[in-house]
Amino acid sequence: MTVSDHSYEDLLKKAENFVRDHMAGYDPSHDWPHVDRVRRVAIRIAKTLEPQPDMLVVELAALFHDLDDKYRTESSPTLSDLLSPFLSHPCLTSNQAELILKIIPNISYTSEIKSRSKNQWTWQDECKELFAVQDSDRLDAIGSIGIMRCSAFSCKINRKLLHDNEDDGHGAEDHFEEKLLKIRDRMKTPFGREEAERRHQTMVSFLESLQKEKELLQ
Ligand code: ADP
Ligand code: NI
């Protein structure tokens, strides 16, 4: 093993290449550029936090965040098997590796609700590394990029764009009420809250404009 095999850069490059390959077949709502945006914004958020979170943990958790069970089938390896070549890298301590493995399944709002329902103070309520990745992933679902991802995902699942009044069929536009307009109130960091407010207003004006366009159809 050469010196460079022991560097952070080596670990991050290997992780990045692995995730790039892994996401290659996914639609634009969950592709490599989504992961890359989540990684970059997570780092921005983490830098604003005091005390500063472990940046390597933030970056790796962001890179791996969508390798969770969303796309998993019966035969898929477990997250820890999938990540073991990276988590056993000489740059990473076992505590860091454990934290990354703990963060990934706890990013989604659904998992947050589950841990809340147990009604006790848990590590999830104070983990700054988790907050940075969580807020970043949530920000990517709202604002202009969020609007585009919502269209992309709807296309992938063959969901119509607009609400169909005739048979009360739900379309992509309904996803704003279902979820996207609620995200602003679920942010964990001051940076996340401020950016979410701006992105929220973008969605509100988009929806107002969409209503005007729909009025022409009546
Ligand atoms: P992530 O895990 O990256 O936070 P999700 O898996 O929740 O994101 O959703 C991926 C993207 O697809 C998001 O931008 C979200 O708005 C969109 N999406 C998810 N469910 C729906 C749906 N039922 N209709 C339209 N868009 C959806
Ligand atoms: Ni994501």
Side-chain angles (χ1 to χ4, degrees), residues 29-30 34 65-66 70 137 140-141 146 149-150 153-154 157 159 172 175 178-180:
S29 70
H30 281 105
H34 162 66
H65 88 274
D66 265 335
K70 200 175 329 184
D137 195 33
D140 209 59
R149 284 183 76 214
C150 177
F153 187 83
S154 300
I157 60 170
R159 192 176 201 196
H175 193 56
E178 290 162 3
K179 180 169 170 194
L180 305 183

Side-chain angles (χ1 to χ4, degrees), residues 12-202:
L12 287 167
K13 199 74 220 156
K14 284 183 176 143
E16 180 180 320
N17 289 338
F18 172 76
V19 179
R20 234 182 235 276
D21 283 353
H22 193 94
M23 313 297 280
Y26 293 169
D27 69 276
S29 70
H30 281 105
D31 55 2
W32 162 252
H34 162 66
V35 175
D36 192 39
R37 290 191 299 272
V38 172
R39 175 248 292 254
R40 286 167 194 268
V41 175
I43 292 169
R44 293 282 295 254
I45 296 173
K47 285 183 178 159
T48 68
L49 299 175
E50 284 293 338
Q52 199 159 103
D54 182 329
M55 298 305 263
L56 187 57
V57 169
V58 169
E59 188 160 0
L60 287 170
L63 279 172
F64 296 141
H65 88 274
D66 265 335
L67 301 178
D68 61 5
D69 49 10
K70 200 175 329 184
Y71 295 100
R72 183 167 293 155
T73 61
E74 293 264 305
S75 56
S76 306
T78 63
L79 190 61
S80 110
D81 285 346
L82 199 61
L83 298 186
S84 75
F86 311 100
L87 300 184
S88 58
H89 192 277
C91 274
L92 220 51
T93 66
S94 58
N95 281 348
Q96 286 174 309
E98 268 171 40
L99 185 54
I100 292 167
L101 276 180
K102 258 166 60 173
I103 288 175
I104 295 167
N106 280 283
I107 294 169
S108 75
Y109 187 63
T110 323
S111 66
E112 193 177 331
I113 300 291
K114 262 191 219 145
S115 74
R116 286 263 162 77
S117 66
K118 293 182 193 130
N119 206 16
Q120 58 198 25
W121 187 257
T122 61
W123 68 271
Q124 289 100 322
D125 295 309
E126 53 193 24
C127 179
K128 298 265 195 301
E129 289 80 5
L130 172 64
F131 294 171
V133 183
Q134 231 166 14
D135 273 14
S136 177
D137 195 33
R138 288 171 191 185
L139 284 175
D140 209 59
I142 60 177
S144 307
I145 290 173
I147 294 169
M148 296 173 90
R149 284 183 76 214
C150 177
S151 304
F153 187 83
S154 300
C155 174
K156 157 96 179 142
I157 60 170
N158 217 0
R159 192 176 201 196
K160 290 192 167 60
L161 292 180
L162 302 181
H163 185 93
D164 186 342
N165 287 329
E166 284 185 4
D167 61 2
D168 198 30
H170 279 214
E173 79 171 300
D174 295 294
H175 193 56
F176 289 85
E177 287 295 338
E178 290 162 3
K179 180 169 170 194
L180 305 183
L181 293 171
K182 297 174 185 156
I183 291 180
R184 175 183 62 169
D185 299 327
R186 298 174 182 167
M187 305 304 286
K188 301 286 178 67
T189 66
F191 181 104
R193 274 190 283 276
E194 197 179 323
E195 182 61 19
E197 182 60 45
R198 208 183 55 72
R199 295 189 189 204
H200 186 88
Q201 295 314 324
T202 301

